[in-house]
Amino acid sequence: MQQYLQQDIQFLSGVGPKRADLLRQELNINTFEDLLTYYPYRYVDRSRFYTISEVSSDMPFIQLRGKVHGYAAVGKGRGKRLVADFRDETGRIELVWFKGAKWIPENHPIGKELVVFGRPNVYQRKLNLVHPEIEDPGKKHVVSSKLQAVYSTTEKLKDQYLTSKAISKLMANLIKSLPKKFEETLPAWLLQKLNLVNLDTAMRKIHFPDEAAQYKRAELRLKFEELFYIQLNILQGKSDRNKRFRGNVFETVGASFNTFYKEHLPFELTGAQKKVMKELRRDMGSGRQMNRLLQGDVGSGKTLVALMSMLIAIDNGFQTCIMAPTEILAQQHHKSISRFLQGMDTRVELLTGSTKKADREPIHEGLLDGSLHILIGTHALIEEVVQFRKLGLVVIDEQHRFGVAQRARLWKKADVIPHVLVMTATPIPRTLAMTLYGDLDVSVIDELPPGRKPIITRRSYDSKRLEVFGFLKKQLALGRQAYIVYPLIKESESMDYKDLEDGYESISRAFPPPQYQVSVVHGKMKPEEKEISMNHFIKGRTHIMVATTVIEVGVDIPNASIMIIESAERFGLSQLHQLRGRVGRGADQSYCILMAGFKLSDDGRKRIETMVSTNDGFEIAEVDLKLRGPGDIEGTQQSGVPFNLKIAHLGKDGQILQLARDKAELIITEDPDLQMEKNFIFAKHIKKGNPQRIDWGKIS
Ligand code: ADP
Ligand code: MG
C-alpha cells in the first residue's frame, strides 16, 4: 500500500504528464499520497435549495432555482459588468459577472430554468451573486446531491480546467483504485480511548462525506494524528536530550548577584520578574542544560532578568554573552547593562561588525583569559575567532532573527553546552509555542513594571491629517518626541521609499525648522548614517523621527511618546504591536495613532480594531494567528521551522493540540523510548511528525 501511494501523480487515471506538471508546480502534489493529503478546505451542501426570499448576505454558499428575466451591461472601465435579473416565485436577486460574461446570455437564455450556486453579497443595498456557478437542472444535478468537498486551486490550474471539481474527480479515481485499506497509524487503544475513527474511514470520508458528521469525525481524527506525532516527536527529542547532555550547575548565588540586587537595582522587581528568576535559577542549578524561552511584552523587563541570570553565571565562574539581532540593539543593551553595573568589577564589552580591529584584540584576550565576563554583540559573536574560556550562559534576544545554523555555532564555543535563554518580545500564542518551541521550557513575564500608563491607541483617517498634526504640535510643545512610520513592502521598494520621501517632505513642510527638527531612518541608509540620525533623535536634538520599520525592535527612547503609523492597514498585527511598543516607555501618557483609509479589507479592519481595543500582546498574537496561518506569523519562517501542517490549524485547533500534547506527554513519561508493545506503532510512525525542528541542545 505504501508503495502504491508513492507513485508519481502522472500515472493516476485522468492526470498524465501535463497536468502532473501543473499539480507539482502549483500545489506541490508529486505522488498519490500528496493528492490524498490535499484536504478540502470546506464543504458545500448542494442537497438543499433555498428560495430567494430566504437569502441574506451572511449566508455561506447557497443554491437557488429560477429563471433569468433579463441581462444588462452596466458600468464603465473596471466596474464594467454584466448583470442578470434572476427570479423565482419568492423574489429576485442579481447575478453579476465582471469578466467572461460574453457567453453567458447565449448559454443561459432568458426564461430557461437554471440552478445557480454562489455566495450572496450586498451591493448598493441589493443582494447579488458574483460569478455564480450555473447548472442546467435537467442534467447534472443528480450527481451533486451530496456534500461536496471544495479544494483550493490557483488561477493557473483553473485556466487548465483543474478546478475544485476536477480535483475531486481525480480524488475519486484515486480512492477507487486503492488496492487495500489505509494502514492504521494509531494504536487501537488510543483510538478507542479518544473515540476517533480509523484512518481508512477518515481518509475516505474527508474527501467524500455523506453527511456533515462524517467529515467532522474524519477531520478530528486527522488533525489529532498530525498534531500528536509532532508533539510525540518533540517530547521524545527533549527527553533524549535531557538524558544525553549534562548541564553546568550554577550552585551559588554570590557576590555579583547580591551586590547588584542589594545595591544597584534601582527598583523592586515585579512579581512576574521574581517568578521567572526562580524558574531560571531552578533550571540552571538542576544539572540539566537549560533551554528556556522567555516571553514578555515590550518593556516588561526581560533584559533585567537576563542580566541577573548572567550575574549568577558569573558568580559560578562562567562567562556569558548576549546576542542581539541589530547593532543598535546590541549598543543599547551594552549601554543599559553597563549603566546597571556601574561601580561593580564586572567587565562588559561590546562586539559588533563595526568594532575596530584594535578594539577587538583586548576583547579576544579577555575572553580567553576569563577576565571578560559579559560579551554583548551581534552576529559578530559567532565568528570562529571569538573563543571563550568558559562560556556558561547564552542569552539570545529577539531570537527569530537568527538562523538555526548560526545559533548552533555558538554552542561550539564551550565544552559543556551552555544554558540558553531565548528572549522574545513577540508574544507567541500558547499553541504555537507548544509546537514551534515545544522542546523549550517557557517563562512568561505577564506584568509590566508599575507606573506605566497604558498607551492610548486611536484610528484616524487621511482626511483628518490636519487634526492629527495639530495634536502632534501640542504634544511636541510639551517637550515630547514622535515617530512617524511608513510601511515598506518588498515587492515595490522604490514606490515605498517614495511614500517615505513624500511623507518626509510634507512633514517637513508642516513642521518647519528651526522650530522643529526631523530625523529620517530607513533601511537603504548606510549603517553610519542611520546611526547618526538615530542618535540625533535619542539625544533629543530632533523632535520627529520619520522612519520605516527599522525602528521596530527594542529601541528604547522614553521621551518619545507618540507613534503615528501611516497606512496602518498594510502592517501585520504583530508588527503594529511591536511598533507601538516603541512608545509608552516613559512616565508620560503615550499615544499611538493608526492612519488608514476608509476602505479596508476585513482582515485589515480586524487588525486595526484589535490594536485599538487591546494592549495585551498575547491577545494580539492570538488574533494574529487566527487571521493568518502560523506559517506567516512573524518569525516562524526565519526561525527555520518549515511549517507544513496539512490539516490542523494552530490558531483554530488549540483544544485538539492540547489533547495531543497531553497524550504524548503521558506516553513519553511512561515509555520514553517507545519500547512497550502497545506503543510499537508510534515508534514506526514517529518520523511522520518530524518538521525539522531546532535542536536547541545539539552541537552540529
Ligand atoms: P524588555 O526588554 O522586556 O522590552 P526592558 O528590560 O528593556 O524591557 O525594560 C524596560 C524598562 O523598564 C527599562 O528601562 C528597565 O530599566 C525598566 N524596568 C525593568 N524592570 C523594572 C521594574 N521591576 N520596575 C521598574 N522599571 C523596570
Ligand atoms: Mg528588550
Side-chain angles (χ1 to χ4, degrees):
M1 181 71 170
Q2 201 44 36
Q3 242 171 356
Y4 187 80
L5 294 179
Q6 292 317 313
Q7 287 179 82
D8 192 316
I9 193 69
Q10 70 164 307
F11 301 122
L12 179 65
S13 129
V15 180
K18 220 178 121 202
R19 288 182 130 188
D21 277 346
L22 270 171
L23 288 171
R24 257 192 288 275
Q25 284 159 18
E26 295 292 297
L27 303 178
N28 199 20
I29 292 175
N30 296 289
T31 63
F32 286 12
E33 182 167 22
D34 291 343
L35 182 64
L36 280 169
T37 55
Y38 191 68
Y39 298 115
Y41 70 97
R42 62 183 174 82
Y43 299 84
V44 293
D45 184 356
R46 303 197 60 169
S47 60
R48 175 169 178 352
F49 286 95
Y50 288 82
T51 59
I52 292 176
S53 64
E54 287 177 293
V55 177
S56 67
S57 64
D58 56 0
M59 284 178 159
F61 285 69
I62 51 150
Q63 185 165 249
L64 303 169
R65 209 179 340 218
K67 290 173 187 165
V68 173
H69 281 241
Y71 287 102
V74 189
K76 282 206 186 86
R78 294 185 68 202
K80 201 173 145 191
R81 60 202 186 271
L82 176 71
V83 176
D85 171 15
F86 186 82
R87 303 186 199 176
D88 65 9
E89 310 79 61
T90 69
R92 56 205 287 178
I93 190 170
E94 289 188 342
L95 311 180
V96 181
W97 292 268
F98 289 94
K99 49 179 195 178
K102 220 158 116 198
W103 307 105
I104 298 286
E106 200 174 303
N107 289 343
H108 307 291
I110 291 170
K112 190 176 168 203
E113 179 90 10
L114 297 174
V115 169
V116 301
F117 177 76
R119 182 187 215 130
N121 298 300
V122 177
Y123 179 69
Q124 292 179 341
R125 303 234 202 109
K126 274 188 278 186
L127 279 167
N128 68 22
L129 300 179
V130 176
H131 289 205
E133 269 181 47
I134 302 188
E135 279 180 10
D136 180 339
K139 280 192 255 165
K140 279 190 189 159
H141 193 66
V142 201
V143 270
S144 54
S145 63
K146 268 195 217 163
L147 275 180
Q148 242 174 46
V150 183
Y151 302 89
S152 65
T153 59
T154 64
E155 285 307 313
K156 228 171 158 181
L157 287 172
K158 280 184 208 148
D159 283 349
Q160 299 300 316
Y161 307 104
L162 270 168
T163 57
S164 168
K165 257 191 195 157
I167 291 176
S168 181
K169 219 174 253 161
L170 295 178
M171 206 67 81
N173 290 347
L174 177 50
I175 287 184
K176 243 183 271 154
S177 80
L178 293 174
K180 274 198 212 153
K181 288 192 164 190
F182 286 88
E183 193 189 327
E184 187 50 61
T185 49
L186 294 172
W189 64 264
L190 187 59
L191 292 179
Q192 214 164 24
K193 197 168 192 172
L194 299 177
N195 193 19
L196 295 173
V197 294
N198 65 45
L199 182 60
D200 191 68
T201 308
M203 287 305 290
R204 289 166 201 267
K205 293 305 177 192
I206 194 85
H207 296 294
F208 299 100
D210 299 315
E211 52 186 19
Q214 283 184 349
Y215 76 70
K216 283 184 184 149
R217 282 171 62 90
E219 224 171 55
L220 176 63
R221 142 83 209 212
L222 294 169
K223 285 178 173 179
F224 175 83
E225 169 173 355
E226 185 168 47
L227 296 169
F228 171 79
Y229 272 109
I230 291 175
Q231 290 304 323
L232 196 66
N233 204 309
I234 290 172
L235 292 172
Q236 200 194 26
K238 185 175 168 186
S239 135
D240 252 17
R241 234 191 3 263
N242 284 342
K243 265 188 286 179
R244 269 188 333 211
F245 300 127
R246 70 207 157 89
N248 296 308
V249 185
F250 296 175
E251 280 170 330
T252 43
V253 171
S256 304
F257 183 90
N258 285 327
T259 309
F260 174 75
Y261 195 76
K262 293 190 187 120
E263 293 163 31
H264 290 249
L265 188 60
F267 34 65
E268 264 285 293
L269 292 182
T270 62
Q273 284 171 320
K274 284 183 188 159
K275 177 194 72 185
V276 170
M277 271 319 292
K278 264 194 208 133
E279 289 166 351
L280 294 174
R281 279 176 59 180
R282 184 165 16 90
D283 275 12
M284 295 187 300
S286 71
R288 289 190 334 203
Q289 181 228 359
M290 173 172 81
N291 282 291
R292 198 170 266 280
L293 178 71
L294 175 55
Q295 290 201 59
D297 226 332
V298 279
S300 60
K302 294 183 294 296
T303 312
L304 186 66
V305 165
L307 173 61
M308 291 193 294
S309 345
M310 293 195 292
L311 293 174
I312 292 177
I314 293 166
D315 279 339
N316 287 275
F318 287 90
Q319 294 166 300
T320 83
C321 65
I322 296 194
M323 198 150 103
T326 64
E327 182 126 8
I328 287 183
L329 264 178
Q331 281 170 5
Q332 221 163 58
H333 278 315
H334 181 247
K335 209 167 98 185
S336 65
I337 286 178
S338 303
R339 203 187 301 135
F340 270 132
L341 299 182
Q342 218 162 46
M344 289 174 56
D345 52 10
T346 310
R347 185 169 158 211
V348 185
E349 298 281 359
L350 178 69
L351 180 67
T352 69
S354 61
T355 305
K356 293 203 187 66
K357 215 168 165 213
D359 296 333
R360 282 175 187 240
E361 248 144 56
I363 292 178
H364 289 316
E365 276 165 28
L367 287 175
L368 280 179
D369 67 23
S371 63
L372 174 47
H373 302 107
I374 299 178
L375 182 63
I376 298 168
T378 53
H379 294 74
L381 294 195
I382 59 178
E383 284 167 16
E384 211 68 48
V385 291
V386 180
Q387 294 295 337
F388 293 80
R389 182 181 149 103
K390 211 176 167 195
L391 180 62
L393 167 67
V394 174
V395 178
I396 301 179
D397 193 8
E398 306 295 348
Q399 109 297 326
H400 58 255
R401 311 211 162 207
F402 287 111
V404 182
Q406 293 171 322
R407 248 176 262 137
R409 281 167 69 180
L410 261 177
W411 299 184
K412 282 197 202 161
K413 298 183 183 298
D415 304 329
V416 174
I417 302 166
H419 295 300
V420 177
L421 180 65
V422 178
M423 300 197 288
T424 175
T426 312
I428 303 164
R430 213 174 40 85
T431 55
L432 192 57
M434 222 185 260
T435 306
L436 273 184
Y437 306 107
D439 51 350
L440 293 181
D441 298 304
V442 179
S443 288
V444 179
I445 303 187
D446 51 6
E447 182 186 354
L448 292 179
R452 301 262 171 88
K453 294 197 183 79
I455 301 164
I456 295 174
T457 304
R458 296 261 183 276
R459 176 208 208 293
S460 189
Y461 302 87
D462 293 337
S463 54
K464 299 210 168 155
R465 189 166 300 274
L466 278 181
E467 278 172 46
V468 172
F469 282 178
F471 170 76
L472 183 51
K473 278 188 179 150
K474 276 192 206 138
Q475 289 291 312
L476 296 180
L478 294 171
R480 317 267 191 271
Q481 289 168 286
Y483 299 100
I484 303 180
V485 177
Y486 289 84
L488 187 62
I489 294 179
K490 284 201 188 73
E491 291 94 70
S492 64
E493 272 191 27
S494 54
M495 207 186 88
D496 290 321
Y497 282 111
K498 194 169 171 309
D499 280 359
L500 178 91
E501 279 158 18
D502 290 354
Y504 175 64
E505 259 182 50
S506 80
I507 284 156
S508 302
R509 244 177 285 126
F511 297 88
Q515 192 185 355
Y516 301 105
Q517 300 293 332
V518 182
S519 284
V520 191
V521 170
H522 59 72
K524 270 192 178 171
M525 289 161 78
K526 292 206 190 86
E528 307 87 82
E529 294 172 336
K530 245 194 268 182
E531 204 65 50
I532 292 170
S533 206
M534 230 24 220
N535 275 327
H536 281 316
F537 191 64
I538 292 172
K539 300 229 163 79
R541 279 188 227 128
T542 55
H543 309 100
I544 298 174
M545 156 94 78
V546 174
T548 55
T549 51
V550 292
I551 55 151
E552 192 183 331
V553 201
V555 179
D556 188 3
I557 304 169
N559 191 49
S561 62
I562 298 119
M563 168 65 65
I564 297 175
I565 303 177
E566 294 285 344
S567 307
E569 76 276 11
R570 283 163 63 182
F571 291 86
L573 247 184
S574 68
Q575 208 174 21
L576 287 172
H577 182 63
Q578 284 286 315
L579 286 169
R580 179 168 62 184
R582 299 303 109 228
V583 298
R585 306 205 135 215
D588 308 314
Q589 177 63 56
S590 291
Y591 300 89
C592 174
I593 299 170
L594 304 170
M595 306 295 291
F598 281 100
K599 275 196 176 167
L600 300 179
S601 67
D602 287 351
D603 281 8
R605 176 170 304 110
K606 179 87 188 157
R607 288 196 293 269
I608 289 181
E609 281 170 2
T610 305
M611 286 297 293
V612 171
S613 69
T614 181
N615 276 312
D616 180 337
F618 283 93
E619 199 177 323
I620 289 170
E622 291 285 352
V623 177
D624 200 22
L625 183 58
K626 288 212 169 81
L627 289 180
R628 312 190 288 167
D632 297 324
I633 295 290
E634 230 86 13
T636 55
Q637 231 100 64
Q638 296 101 306
S639 67
V641 184
F643 230 77
N644 192 12
L645 290 175
K646 291 205 149 90
I647 189 162
H649 185 293
L650 292 181
K652 293 176 183 148
D653 298 323
Q655 278 183 321
I656 304 176
L657 175 56
Q658 187 67 58
L659 183 68
R661 173 91 175 184
D662 292 346
K663 289 292 165 245
E665 236 157 39
L666 281 176
I667 290 162
I668 290 293
T669 310
E670 185 188 44
D671 183 13
D673 299 319
L674 302 176
Q675 283 178 335
M676 290 164 70
E677 196 176 337
K678 65 168 187 172
N679 294 334
F680 277 175
I681 196 165
F682 296 136
K684 186 166 170 198
H685 293 286
I686 195 163
K687 291 284 174 292
K688 277 174 61 144
N690 189 9
Q692 292 173 3
R693 285 173 306 98
I694 304 167
D695 196 347
W696 299 91
K698 194 167 149 206
I699 308 177
S700 61

